[in-house]
């Protein structure tokens, strides 16, 4: 692993377990936890191969798998991956730093049809690694494949910087929305869902 992520440095001890418990509770209560998966499912062909980058507890990947997609999830937090494996044993889930993402060396050489980066992942990565992470993600998606990234606009990662990093990583900005259910983008929105695409 490279430098510590903000998930480690900017949260309190026990945060990972709190996060695990929170999403298990929400699932048990019947909360809608599949919004990101619905969007991705609408964008790709049936049985697509999808990378869940920063998969956390596996909720997005599990919802995509339930829709028939082949999902590989990666997260730097071993506790989150362990909980995801327990809750979703049919998923392929790996512990790994997105700044060092190299799935062919982990036995996953096939390129992905799409990538989803949900759950404020980009605001929790190690400072200064954002462009490299987007570059490595771009290297794992097939030409013309979408990369969909969502994060809060008030979490210290400016959209202007994100757009610059994405462009430098070889990804083209295609669409931006204010929510995962495609509410129109507006400058004052507190959340951004950006559809990037690796040019063909």
């Amino acid at each position: 692993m490279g430098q510590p992520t903000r998930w480690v440095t900017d949260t309190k001890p026990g945060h990972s377990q709190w996060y695990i418990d929170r999403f298990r509770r929400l699932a048990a209560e019947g909360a809608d936890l599949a919004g990101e998966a619905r969007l991705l499912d609408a964008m790709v062909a049936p049985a697509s191969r999808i990378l869940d980058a920063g998969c956390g507890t596996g909720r997005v990947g599990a919802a995509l798998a339930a829709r028939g997609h082949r999902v590989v999830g990666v997260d730097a937090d071993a506790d989150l991956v362990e909980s995801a494996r327990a809750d979703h044993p049919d998923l392929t889930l790996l512990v790994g730093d997105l700044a060092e993402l190299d799935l062919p060396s982990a036995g996953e050489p096939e390129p992905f049809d799409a990538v989803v980066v949900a759950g404020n992942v980009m605001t929790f990565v190690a400072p200064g690694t954002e462009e490299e992470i987007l570059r490595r993600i771009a290297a794992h998606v097939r030409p013309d494949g979408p990369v969909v990234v969502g994060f809060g606009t008030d979490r210290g990662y400016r959209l202007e910087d994100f757009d610059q990093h994405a462009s430098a990583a070889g990804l083209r900005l295609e669409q931006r929305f204010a929510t995962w259910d495609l509410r129109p983008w507006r400058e004052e929105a507190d959340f951004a869902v950006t559809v990037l695409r690796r040019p063909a």
Side-chain angles (χ1 to χ4, degrees), residues 36-51:
E36 301 98 328
R38 283 194 298 274
L39 174 56
L40 262 290
D41 183 52
M43 295 179 66
V44 298
S48 286
R49 180 170 158 82
I50 299 176
L51 173 60

Side-chain angles (χ1 to χ4, degrees), residues 100-160:
E100 300 173 350
L101 190 65
D102 181 8
L103 292 180
S105 71
E108 294 289 340
E110 186 182 348
F112 292 88
D113 299 307
V115 182
V116 59
V117 191
N120 287 305
V121 168
M122 292 301 297
T123 67
F124 280 114
V125 301
T129 64
E130 296 90 352
E131 183 179 320
E132 180 62 19
I133 285 169
L134 291 167
R135 190 182 313 280
R136 287 184 178 260
I137 284 172
H140 284 77
V141 68
R142 65 168 174 76
D144 202 39
V147 176
V148 187
V149 184
F151 60 87
T153 59
D154 58 351
R155 290 176 167 261
Y157 186 26
R158 299 186 321 147
L159 275 176
E160 294 88 346

